[in-house]
Amino acid sequence: LEAAISAFEQALEIDPSYDDAMLGAAESWLLLPLYGARPPTEVIPNARELARDVLAADPENARARAVLGAIAMQYDWDWLTAERLLREAATLNPNDATAQQWLGELYCYTSRFDECRAQLRIAFDLDPLSPVLTMQQGSPALYSGDYESAAIAYTNAIEAAPDFALARFALGLALSGLGDWSAAVDAYESSLPDLGLAIVGGPLIYALQELGQNEAAESMLNDLEALADARYVPPSKLAVAYLGMGDTQRAVAALQHAVELHDDRLVYLAGDVHFRHRLDEPGFRDIATRVGLREPD
């Protein structure tokens, strides 16, 4: 992604009004936090500015609307604006699988599972060779708590693209939901070399602790905290680790820090296998309310 941004910026030095390069850079900035590379507060403003510039010059640009819709969803937690922009993008260019995907994700995050399932199927039918869209056929099941169906979908995705680490990680989440902690650890560990400790560490620590491997969990937590001292680690991932270690207070504090950094993983909160059953507890309830995934009391 960093290399992609550099290449797009070189293109823009040649032609500062080149829309495709502007949007390519915007999409790359948008994805950096997802992989734990940079904090959202540092890079999302860059993505927003580029997409707005494109839209100002071309008000009918579907791709710019999709980027701004994704930002409204993942960074602003402005769900109404996000849905409007993503719907507009999907209408302006019905063949844009990414815009269709992001709209489907919004439906999953907001617990609209029938719409999510239908929308992600539209995206998949547009790009059936995409490992991401193959994997995401399991998202409605995962976020609704149907972990058995989710595990089947993710297993199918792994068979279709054995080297796609995100599918192995997602399988770990489904297996955690099933309480199959040994298999979950195996799935997480298989994705660790590709995705890194910043992404996999929290759920893996949680699973290790549930499996009774306390020393291994404690050692990995020390490594994850050391990594967070050196570079960006999504605070929501630390929150999962602390929750697994039974430290609810530190988990809530990490989620509060995640709100401050606009951690893009907070959109998962309502359906997250680690948090979904704790959102009635005061600290977690407050976070879900701030992200717009729960009505204020």
Side-chain angles (χ1 to χ4, degrees):
L1 290 169
E2 296 279 9
I5 290 168
S6 176
F8 288 129
E9 288 177 343
Q10 290 177 55
L12 290 170
E13 288 175 6
I14 299 169
D15 180 0
S17 63
Y18 185 17
D19 285 0
D20 281 348
M22 295 171 75
L23 290 171
E27 290 167 348
S28 300
W29 287 118
L30 179 66
L31 289 174
L32 279 172
L34 182 66
Y35 291 95
R38 305 273 285 276
T41 47
E42 182 180 309
V43 299
I44 295 302
N46 299 337
R48 193 196 303 273
E49 181 180 3
L50 288 166
R52 281 179 171 172
D53 287 348
V54 171
L55 201 59
D58 177 11
E60 297 299 303
N61 192 293
R63 194 171 161 200
R65 288 179 185 275
V67 170
L68 290 171
I71 291 171
M73 173 174 65
Q74 295 177 190
Y75 186 82
D76 300 330
W77 309 315
D78 181 349
W79 298 98
L80 292 177
T81 298
E83 183 172 356
R84 174 179 60 79
L85 287 167
L86 291 171
R87 279 181 173 272
E88 289 172 355
T91 299
L92 286 166
N93 183 5
N95 290 321
D96 185 346
T98 299
Q100 303 283 4
Q101 170 196 337
W102 287 343
L103 181 57
E105 289 175 355
L106 181 145
Y107 292 145
C108 264
Y109 301 152
T110 53
S111 303
R112 296 157 64 180
F113 300 118
D114 289 342
E115 291 168 282
C116 175
R117 187 175 296 105
Q119 194 66 43
L120 290 177
R121 184 68 200 189
I122 290 171
F124 173 80
D125 288 343
L126 288 169
D127 190 1
L129 299 183
S130 165
V132 171
L133 294 175
T134 302
M135 175 193 73
Q136 286 205 327
Q137 300 312 297
S139 294
L142 181 71
Y143 288 112
S144 65
D146 181 3
Y147 299 119
E148 185 172 349
S149 295
I152 292 170
Y154 295 139
T155 299
N156 291 338
I158 293 167
E159 291 175 355
D163 294 332
F164 187 55
L166 275 175
R168 298 196 298 274
F169 176 73
L171 177 61
L173 294 173
L175 293 168
S176 293
L178 290 169
D180 190 346
W181 299 109
S182 180
V185 166
D186 289 342
Y188 289 141
E189 288 181 339
S190 72
S191 70
L192 184 59
D194 293 310
L195 298 181
L197 188 64
I199 301 303
V200 181
L204 178 52
I205 290 164
Y206 192 109
L208 286 169
Q209 187 70 17
E210 289 287 342
L211 197 56
Q213 296 185 17
N214 303 342
E215 290 185 8
E218 186 69 42
S219 175
M220 185 166 288
L221 177 59
N222 291 337
D223 291 342
L224 185 61
E225 289 177 326
L227 183 64
D229 288 338
R231 49 154 285 191
Y232 175 66
V233 170
S236 59
K237 294 293 188 177
L238 284 163
V240 172
Y242 293 139
L243 196 64
M245 301 300 288
D247 194 338
T248 300
Q249 185 174 357
R250 292 186 78 188
V252 171
L255 288 177
Q256 290 169 341
H257 186 43
V259 171
E260 294 169 4
L261 290 182
H262 290 257
D263 183 341
D264 50 0
R265 283 170 176 74
L266 288 175
V267 296
Y268 305 158
L269 205 58
D272 185 275
V273 63
H274 308 99
F275 296 117
R276 61 178 298 155
H277 297 302
R278 307 199 64 163
L279 296 185
D280 287 332
E281 299 175 24
F284 300 105
R285 181 176 65 236
D286 293 345
I287 300 298
T289 300
R290 291 173 70 181
V291 180
L293 293 173
R294 181 188 172 99
E295 293 293 328
D297 293 331

